[in-house]
Amino acid sequence: MATAQAVSSSRSWFKSLELVLGLIFAGGIALVVLLSPVLFPDGGEGMDLMARLIPPFQSWQHILGTDPLGRDVLARVAVGGKISLMVGFLSVLGAVIIGTLVGLVAGYYRGIAEMFLMRFVDIQLALPFILVAIMFLAILGAGIDKVILVMIATQWVQYARLVRGSVLALREREFILSARAIGVGNGRIIFTHVLPNVLGPIVILMTLQVANNILLESSLTFLGLGVDPLIPSWGGMLADGRTYLQTAWWVSVFPGLAIMFTVLGLNLLGDWLRDFLDPTGQTSK
């Protein structure tokens, strides 16, 4: 009995630590990014060729050092975070809306609609993201909006499959059958009875997917397929600094750390949300 209580207490402490660390990492970086227009009015574009490649922690004006053009690394990391976070959140929001609607229709109505939609989902899930992204961006061209569209087009299927599975488990429950019996319309049942009961898994996947999309945006930009090189972004800073790794490591390391701590924080929050919304572990199954 005492052992079980100790295990339960340690798990509760660990989950609280997950929440605190997630808020510190992701919330702290998000706060700096949101305040970047106030903290860095020049948008990280101020150049000083006389102060190029200053190492970090050697100048109060440039705490994290400067890049090859004399631009402040801290300012560019803060300003560049707006692009990465915007791509991460907007792409997930678009994918959630489309995928949830498709999953609700397929899971509730079944029949030909489900068969057609789910076979399309299976085909798209079989396609590697990077190949689809290269094909789309080669046709549409690089840009923030194009990257967001590619992520939405390739990721809505994950939400569709998740929601469809949850709806299949709900559609024969007593409260749904009772609503049908008293003549409640299908649309009202879907949006007032079914949708609220599938939001938990959706929110958990959203949290984890935002972190994943930040990594994808940085990877695509690093490869030259994402955000315009003239616009500060974490992936772009990594690409710009790769030729200076031996002489000016800070140009790439600090945006890399920003990506790492943001993704880590969001993953910790996602794990905490999963346990909070689904303590029995059914979501992970």
Side-chain angles (χ1 to χ4, degrees), residues 17-31 261 265 268-269:
L17 182 62
E18 274 190 339
L19 174 61
V20 172
L21 290 178
L23 290 174
I24 290 174
F25 292 153
I29 291 176
L31 181 63
F261 283 116
L268 288 173
L269 289 176

Side-chain angles (χ1 to χ4, degrees), residues 31-234:
L31 181 63
V32 172
V33 169
L34 290 174
L35 293 177
S36 61
V38 177
L39 298 174
F40 310 104
D42 64 353
E45 293 299 323
M47 298 184 189
D48 183 4
L49 295 179
M50 299 299 294
R52 60 190 301 271
L53 297 180
I54 293 178
F57 313 117
Q58 293 194 9
S59 169
W60 285 109
Q61 292 181 323
H62 308 290
I63 296 178
L64 298 186
T66 58
D67 68 3
L69 296 178
R71 296 173 297 189
D72 186 69
V73 171
L74 176 60
R76 289 181 62 77
V77 168
V79 173
K82 290 191 296 185
I83 300 299
S84 298
L85 293 178
M86 180 180 70
V87 170
F89 281 100
L90 290 183
S91 59
V92 165
L93 182 61
V96 165
I97 293 173
I98 297 173
T100 300
L101 291 176
V102 171
L104 288 171
V105 171
Y108 186 82
Y109 289 104
R110 305 293 301 274
I112 296 177
E114 179 194 26
M115 182 180 68
F116 174 77
L117 291 171
M118 288 302 104
R119 295 302 74 76
F120 183 78
V121 167
D122 291 338
I123 293 172
Q124 188 159 334
L125 285 173
L127 299 174
F129 170 80
I130 192 65
L131 294 180
V132 176
I134 291 173
M135 181 184 69
F136 267 71
L137 295 173
I139 296 172
L140 300 176
I144 300 174
D145 54 340
K146 311 298 192 309
V147 173
I148 293 174
L149 285 175
V150 168
M151 290 184 179
I152 292 174
T154 55
Q155 294 174 358
W156 67 268
V157 293
Q158 300 177 33
Y159 297 93
R161 170 161 289 200
L162 174 68
V163 172
R164 179 247 186 188
S166 299
V167 173
L168 288 177
L170 288 170
R171 69 189 301 273
E172 302 302 330
R173 296 279 294 274
E174 289 80 2
F175 66 95
I176 300 295
L177 297 176
S178 299
R180 287 185 194 146
I182 63 176
V184 179
N186 288 330
R188 185 174 178 185
I189 291 175
I190 289 173
F191 289 105
T192 61
H193 296 289
V194 176
L195 180 59
N197 285 282
V198 301
L199 285 179
I202 293 174
V203 172
I204 295 169
L205 182 57
M206 284 178 64
T207 307
L208 300 174
Q209 197 68 57
V210 168
N212 182 60
N213 285 3
I214 290 173
L215 284 175
L216 290 176
E217 179 276 325
S218 300
S219 300
L220 290 173
T221 303
F222 182 83
L223 294 173
L225 298 172
V227 179
D228 189 319
L230 298 178
I231 300 175
S233 70
W234 289 340

Side-chain angles (χ1 to χ4, degrees), residues 11 15 162 166 200-202 204 270-285:
R11 287 189 62 185
K15 292 305 173 185
L162 174 68
S166 299
I202 293 174
I204 295 169
D271 287 342
W272 179 84
L273 269 176
R274 180 185 59 199
D275 293 327
F276 178 77
L277 296 175
D278 185 23
T280 62
Q282 292 179 355
T283 298
S284 61
K285 297 178 183 178

